[in-house]
Amino acid sequence: ENMDKLHTRQIMQCIYLQGLHYKETAAKLGISIATVNTLLVNALKKIRQAYPDITQNIILFLLLSDKKR
């Protein structure tokens, strides 16, 4: 559980702040690409549930950003 929280934070930083791809993030953290995907999907679900009013704007911003995932 705590390791998942740590990895989730690191995944978010790698992908959204550093602009790394899933494969690069997985290699950097020593976890599988599937784990990167699963933890990221779960984190985004929690964010959407916790902040329903601003989630649409965040998603739109991420989709329109020039960094490819």
Side-chain angles (χ1 to χ4, degrees), residues 14-54:
C14 287
I15 292 174
Y16 295 113
L17 298 179
Q18 298 174 20
L20 299 179
H21 294 275
Y22 285 25
K23 185 176 181 178
E24 296 165 319
T25 299
K28 181 176 182 175
L29 301 179
I31 58 178
S32 72
I33 296 170
T35 299
V36 168
N37 185 61
T38 298
L39 292 176
L40 185 59
V41 166
N42 290 340
L44 293 174
K45 282 181 187 176
K46 287 181 184 179
I47 291 169
R48 282 194 297 271
Q49 290 170 351
Y51 304 101
D53 295 336
I54 64 169

